[in-house]
Amino acid sequence: MMNEPPPPTAVPQYADFDFELDNNAQRLPLVLCLDNSRSMEGRPIQALNEALREWTRELHDDVSLSYSVEVAVITFGDQSVTAYRGAEPLYPGMNLSPFVPAHAFTAPTLAANGVTLMTEAVELAMQIVAARKTELRKLGLQYYRPQICLVTDGLPTDGTGHYTTTWQRIVPVLAEEQRSRRFRLYAIGVGGITERGQAVLRAFAPTYNAQLQGFPFRELLQMMSASAAAEQKGEGEEAFEKIFHQFRTQRPAWEA
């Protein structure tokens, strides 16, 4: 299931943007960048799959989000970084966009295995966001600030499973992209993530990082929906900070 990302400076160009061309709604690209390495085996990956299925149903039922949010999934585990178009993995040479309109999105069923290629996964997330924005501009469509949600329970590793400091190379890029409001990055540590692992996430997303007990994936995905809704309404940054604080303290006040 290898899906080699292009070089960090490359912006992939996708041929397949024929879906939903009659929908002129302002788009909101949302990328779920999910750890499915070996440490997620068992109950954690089961909980993630259950949450993805439930969230998918909620997206389909949400009129305000279902025709504007576009969902892409990237996983890092099993010796590779894999982009999904809905439930289907994308392979090299397919030249298809991983983004699917929320009302048509079907969640993949993930298995846990392999190493934690976090750096490469975040790089690919940035690349597909940049590519999608380019395509939307070509189509004459407007878009909201994209959202990327990184979820992990571990440390970045190389292909042999050993800790690597290569993640440091993307910190300046992430800082500039977020300062320029090109996307909003959420970096979430779950389960038994160590302080060392959480330090990586704080470097990636100084404002929107969290270290959570257990695997509250359903609440996490609901928070992403709440953030998307706030983006649609043109809310100021304080609204996103409030939503994120509610999530971090596991008090989903947005449901009230």
Side-chain angles (χ1 to χ4, degrees), residues 29-255:
L30 190 162
V31 182
L32 301 178
C33 196
L34 306 174
D35 186 343
N36 69 327
S37 61
R38 188 178 302 277
S39 60
M40 290 286 289
E41 195 172 18
R43 181 55 190 160
I45 201 69
Q46 292 172 11
L48 178 55
N49 282 322
E50 290 167 5
L52 283 169
R53 287 191 293 269
E54 180 64 25
W55 182 65
T56 297
R57 289 191 291 269
E58 292 172 357
L59 273 183
H60 293 173
D61 293 339
D62 190 318
V63 176
S64 65
L65 297 181
S66 62
Y67 279 86
S68 60
V69 171
E70 301 178 333
V71 183
V73 175
I74 292 172
T75 62
F76 50 104
D78 197 24
Q79 314 304 125
S80 67
V81 173
T82 303
Y84 286 79
R85 180 182 173 88
E88 299 301 321
L90 296 178
Y91 299 97
M94 293 180 74
N95 200 33
L96 298 175
S97 170
F99 285 99
V100 177
H103 70 89
F105 176 72
T106 303
T109 299
L110 305 177
N113 196 17
V115 297
T116 313
L117 300 176
M118 189 187 309
T119 304
E120 294 81 358
V122 174
E123 287 177 324
L124 182 57
M126 288 191 287
Q127 290 160 12
I128 67 171
V129 163
R132 185 55 178 149
K133 291 195 295 184
T134 297
E135 293 298 330
L136 289 171
R137 286 193 295 267
K138 288 180 180 178
L139 294 169
L141 295 171
Q142 295 184 318
Y143 53 83
Y144 300 99
R145 192 194 316 187
Q147 298 184 163
I148 301 173
C149 183
L150 169 67
V151 185
T152 184
D153 69 343
L155 285 164
T157 70
D158 59 19
T160 66
H162 294 93
Y163 171 72
T164 176
T165 60
T166 57
W167 62 270
Q168 296 173 358
R169 75 186 182 212
I170 64 173
V171 171
V173 179
L174 287 170
E176 174 58 24
E177 294 288 284
Q178 292 173 91
R179 186 193 66 78
S180 300
R181 301 171 64 86
R182 295 192 178 101
F183 54 76
R184 181 178 285 104
L185 174 64
Y186 296 90
I188 313 298
V190 296
I193 191 169
T194 63
E195 173 56 31
R196 191 180 183 189
Q198 195 60 35
V200 175
L201 301 187
R202 286 196 295 269
F204 283 175
T207 302
Y208 297 108
N209 68 83
Q211 182 174 0
L212 303 176
Q213 297 296 318
F215 299 91
F217 297 123
R218 188 167 187 276
E219 293 81 359
L220 167 60
L221 292 169
Q222 289 176 330
M223 183 274 292
M224 294 303 296
S225 292
S227 180
E231 193 73 55
Q232 284 186 326
K233 295 174 184 175
E235 300 279 8
E237 203 63 31
E238 65 279 358
F240 297 95
E241 292 173 1
K242 180 180 179 181
I243 289 169
F244 194 66
H245 174 74
Q246 291 164 347
F247 165 67
R248 289 183 65 174
T249 55
Q250 300 196 37
R251 294 196 302 270
W254 57 83
E255 292 184 344

